Amino acid sequence: MPETGADAMGALTLLITGAGGYIGRHAVDEALHQGHRVIAVLRRPADMPDGVDVLHCDLAEGGDALAAACARADVVIHCAASMSGDAGEHARDTLKATETLMSSMPRGGRIVLLGSIAVYDYEVLEPDAMLTEAAPLEDRPERRDGYAAGKLGQEHLALRLAADHEHKLTILRAGAVFGPGRLWNAHFGPMIGPLLIRMESRGELPLCHISTCVQALTNAAERPATGPINVLDEDLPHRDRYLNCLAKGPNLVLPLNWRWLVPLAHLLRPLGPRRPGLLRPAVLRARFLPLRYDNSRMREVLGVRQAHGFELLMHEAQQ
C-alpha cells in the first residue's frame, strides 16, 4: 500500500469546508493525524482542535477572507453541502456555496469534492448488478429527492468551474456514511415511532464508515487529481445483518416491499414536487434496489482500506 501522510510527501495546508459538520469534523482530525496543517471553514462557531486556523464564513457569500484562505491552501477539501431541505436550500448551500468557493480559489488550484453515490441513474441498473464508477449518472434529477438533485448539480457545476479556472478536481462519491453518533440512513425504510417499515431485504447496504471516508479525503488531497472514485467499505452488510448489530434498534419490523408502492407513486405523479420522496418511483429504486458495490478504484488509487470488519466497527460506534 502506498505511503500516506506528511511523512510520505511533506505537510500540506488543507482548507476544509463544512468543518463543523459530521464528516468535516472527522476530516479535520484525520488531516491533523496525518501531519497536515488545517484551515477549517465554519459557518457557525464550533470547537476545533489546537493548531487549527478557523475561518468563520458563509460560503454562499464568500468574501476577501475566503479568497485569502484559499490562496494559502495547497488543497481544498470541500465537504460543505445541504443534507436536507427544499430546492432553495440546496441551491444556496450546495450549489452557490460551491460556485463561490471554486471562484475564490487561485487559478489552477487543487480541490477534492465530497460527492455522493446518489448521483447515479438507478433506473438503468438491474437488480443485483455491480455499481461502479462506469455507471451512468442521473439525467432527470427532477425525479429524485432534493439531496440527490443537489449533489448531481454540484458535480456538474464543479466540473464546469474546474475547466473554466483550470482547477485540478477529484470527486469522491461516498456511500451512506456511518460511525459514532450516526447509525441510521434512508436505505432501510421509514421509522414510525418504534416501528421500522423495512422496504427491502436483499442487496448490500452502500455503507462508508467515517474512518474510510476521511482517509479517502486526505489521501485524495495528497495525490494528483483523478476521475471520480466511489468511497465505500468492502465488508458491506445486508439489512438484517445491520439491524442485528444495533444495540438499540427498532422494536418492531414490518416488511413492505417497495415495489408495491411504485404503482401508487405513478398515480400521484401529477402532484409533482409535492410528492414525498417515498412516493417517487426513482427515489424508491435508488434507495432500495438490491445491488452490489465495487470499491476497487478507491483501494487502488487512494490506498484506502476499511479499518475493521463491519461488526467491530458497529460495536465501536455504539460505545
Side-chain angles (χ1 to χ4, degrees):
M1 183 179 296
E3 285 188 288
T4 59
D7 289 342
M9 39 74 66
L12 299 171
T13 297
L14 304 180
L15 184 146
I16 301 176
T17 71
Y22 184 79
I23 297 174
R25 285 185 285 111
H26 284 85
V28 168
D29 291 340
E30 176 67 14
L32 293 174
H33 177 72
Q34 294 294 343
H36 300 301
R37 298 175 293 271
V38 173
I39 303 171
V41 180
L42 304 163
R43 185 159 63 174
R44 300 178 184 88
D47 292 334
M48 286 286 117
D50 292 340
V52 172
D53 289 345
V54 175
L55 171 64
H56 291 104
C57 174
D58 185 336
L59 286 178
E61 298 178 2
D64 293 342
L66 177 62
C70 288
R72 291 170 50 208
D74 297 299
V75 186
V76 171
I77 297 178
H78 186 27
C79 299
S82 179
M83 296 296 294
S84 60
D86 59 21
E89 290 178 76
H90 289 284
R92 184 188 190 282
D93 296 334
T94 299
L95 302 181
K96 181 60 177 176
T98 299
E99 180 177 21
T100 302
L101 173 68
M102 295 185 68
S103 298
S104 300
M105 294 168 54
R107 192 170 191 84
R110 296 174 57 199
I111 179 168
V112 177
L113 172 65
L114 178 61
S116 169
I117 63 167
V119 300
Y120 289 111
D121 185 354
Y122 292 88
E123 293 287 343
V124 303
L125 296 173
E126 296 295 328
D128 302 311
M130 178 73 78
L131 180 72
T132 73
E133 291 84 355
L137 300 187
E138 174 65 74
D139 62 356
R140 293 171 56 193
E142 70 276 3
R143 302 184 297 184
R144 303 285 295 281
D145 56 57
Y147 175 75
K151 295 305 284 185
L152 183 68
Q154 184 186 44
E155 273 206 23
H156 292 321
L157 176 63
L159 288 167
R160 178 176 64 78
L161 291 168
D164 291 347
H165 296 279
E166 299 182 350
H167 294 330
K168 301 170 182 65
L169 169 68
T170 296
I171 299 174
L172 302 186
R173 294 174 181 154
V177 177
F178 77 104
R182 185 167 172 169
L183 294 175
W184 203 251
N185 62 68
H187 294 275
F188 290 97
M191 284 281 291
I192 304 174
L195 172 67
L196 166 65
I197 301 178
R198 190 189 65 191
M199 307 190 76
E200 180 58 73
S201 59
R202 296 169 49 220
E204 297 174 340
L205 285 170
L207 299 180
C208 173
H209 188 262
I210 185 61
S211 62
T212 304
C213 183
V214 297
Q215 187 183 353
L217 288 168
T218 304
N219 287 14
E222 296 171 355
R223 288 161 169 75
T226 184
I229 297 174
N230 291 343
V231 178
L232 296 150
D233 292 340
E234 48 258 29
D235 184 11
L236 296 177
H238 291 66
R239 288 164 178 82
D240 284 345
R241 183 180 167 201
Y242 192 100
L243 292 173
N244 287 337
C245 287
L246 283 175
K248 297 181 179 179
N251 294 334
L252 299 170
V253 178
L254 174 64
L256 176 65
N257 194 307
W258 62 274
R259 295 166 184 83
W260 299 348
L261 292 180
V262 172
L264 175 61
H266 282 296
L267 286 175
L268 296 176
R269 192 185 300 274
L271 294 177
R274 289 178 293 168
R275 287 179 298 170
L278 288 179
L279 291 178
R280 300 185 189 189
V283 173
L284 286 167
R285 192 173 181 90
R287 292 184 185 178
F288 304 117
L289 181 70
L291 295 170
R292 295 171 296 132
Y293 299 88
D294 175 57
N295 73 350
S296 59
R297 182 166 163 77
M298 177 192 78
R299 290 183 280 113
E300 294 164 4
V301 176
L302 300 181
V304 175
R305 299 297 298 263
Q306 185 174 339
H308 304 291
F310 170 71
E311 276 76 13
L312 179 55
L313 291 175
M314 280 292 286
H315 174 74
E316 292 176 345
Q318 297 177 87
Q319 296 306 298

